[in-house]
Amino acid sequence: MKYSEQIAVRSRAEMDLMRNAGRHTGEILLKLREAARPGVTTGELNEIADGELKRRKLNSPFLGYAPGGLPAYPGVICASVNEEVVHGIPGSRELREGDILSLDFGVESGGFHGDSAVTIPIGPISGKAQDLIETTDDSLTEGVSQMVMGRRLSDIGSAVQKKAESGGFSVVRQFVGHGIGRNMHEPPQVPNYGRPGRGQRLRVGMVFAIEPMVNLGSEKVRVLDDEWTAVTADGELSAHFEHTVAITDHGPEVLTRVPGSH
Ligand code: MF3
Ligand code: CO
């Protein structure tokens, strides 16, 4: 883990642009969530998101994203169903009653980014799936609560891990949260695990995307031949929640939270 990298501190004006990007992200994610029901395809949800981006004259940081020689990402959302952990490519797959769907969405607005994800039930789901979703959301809340001046970077992941494992679940190691601002992915890496009290001190003006991925079974994941879709190695369910969160004088500010969202 690289703890030494420079973490950006946002000015008041920059923070207002981040708030705006965060609000758009949250509003559009909420629309997707409302549209997701049995019979709808993940490709149709991608179309809805694309329409909202165009209407609001915003850019997608997901579309065409190609880190480290990966093929360009072909959607404006990620839609990961059941055992898919993250980066599910939207397409012809129809949602079915009993599925759980992880929706991940981001925008670029005025040079700044928002990034957020939520896992939702499609119709009635099993008790264990419900428990997984609730615990993953709670683990994000625990991580967010550490976004306070003076805490250390590893306090975030430590709090996430403690909550997730207290429910008997495992946290994914292979993907981590991240700094966010002028780029969707900036230093530092924000793991969802670790010992507390390590790494850089958190300062007012830092903004991180905290994004626990929590598995019902083993933490192990593998990536499919499309080079994007990550699935659990054991085929068990996985959930993903994410918010873009700023550290302010008065504590954590969840920039991607809008009324009605997680
Ligand atoms: N929220 C996701 C992440 O931070 C963004 C996915 S990038 C994409 O990893 F290219 F897959 F869209
Ligand atoms: Co992210």
Side-chain angles (χ1 to χ4, degrees):
M1 195 58 46
K2 286 173 249 153
Y3 282 129
S4 54
E5 288 164 303
Q6 194 70 37
I7 303 174
V9 169
R10 302 296 165 199
S11 69
R12 202 172 280 270
E14 289 174 326
M15 198 60 91
D16 281 338
L17 291 167
M18 292 288 294
R19 284 192 179 97
N20 195 46
R23 179 181 51 79
H24 283 298
T25 303
E27 285 175 0
I28 297 172
L29 188 58
L30 197 56
K31 285 208 185 236
L32 299 178
R33 191 183 161 149
E34 286 161 3
R37 49 193 147 68
V40 172
T41 69
T42 56
E44 285 165 352
L45 296 176
N46 189 73
E47 286 308 303
I48 292 171
D50 196 45
E52 282 294 323
L53 287 167
K54 293 204 166 88
R55 192 169 72 76
R56 298 170 190 235
K57 298 187 166 43
L58 303 170
N59 297 316
S60 170
F62 288 23
L63 186 67
Y65 187 60
L70 286 180
Y73 189 75
V76 301
I77 68 169
C78 301
S80 309
V81 184
N82 296 336
E83 78 287 355
E84 295 174 352
V85 178
V86 277
H87 302 164
I89 296 173
S92 56
R93 181 173 184 161
E94 265 183 36
L95 299 172
R96 295 169 48 174
E97 212 168 88
D99 284 343
I100 65 171
L101 170 67
S102 299
L103 285 167
D104 191 344
F105 178 70
V107 311
E108 183 269 312
S109 165
F112 288 89
H113 291 78
D115 191 4
S116 185
V118 64
T119 299
I120 57 168
I122 304 301
I125 59 170
S126 70
K128 65 180 185 176
Q130 237 165 325
D131 193 18
L132 173 69
I133 289 176
E134 248 167 66
T135 301
T136 308
D137 193 9
D138 290 348
S139 75
L140 172 58
T141 302
E142 289 299 307
V144 169
S145 75
Q146 299 302 309
M147 290 289 280
V148 172
M149 178 178 56
R151 296 281 156 81
R152 286 184 188 273
L153 185 54
S154 80
D155 292 339
I156 299 167
S158 170
V160 168
Q161 180 179 21
K162 200 168 143 198
K163 186 67 187 185
E165 291 183 352
S166 75
F169 305 115
S170 67
V171 291
V172 170
R173 269 51 171 190
Q174 193 170 321
F175 299 96
V176 297
H178 47 94
I180 179 167
R182 291 193 183 274
N183 297 105
M184 176 169 62
H185 292 147
E186 295 186 358
Q189 294 193 16
V190 183
N192 297 302
Y193 57 90
R195 296 171 59 180
R198 310 282 171 108
Q200 292 192 37
R201 285 221 186 263
L202 304 184
R203 292 179 52 192
V204 170
M206 291 178 174
V207 186
F208 301 159
I210 304 176
E211 50 176 317
M213 287 142 272
V214 178
N215 292 352
L216 201 60
S218 142
E219 80 207 29
K220 291 210 180 69
V221 307
R222 67 187 175 87
V223 176
L224 300 185
D225 285 341
D226 64 20
E227 297 188 61
W228 277 104
T229 312
V231 299
T232 56
D234 59 12
E236 294 275 12
L237 297 177
S238 184
H240 180 206
F241 280 76
E242 178 175 23
H243 270 308
T244 298
V245 187
I247 300 169
T248 75
D249 300 314
H250 42 274
E253 183 177 335
V254 181
L255 304 183
T256 42
R257 180 169 285 147
V258 297
S261 76
H262 63 292

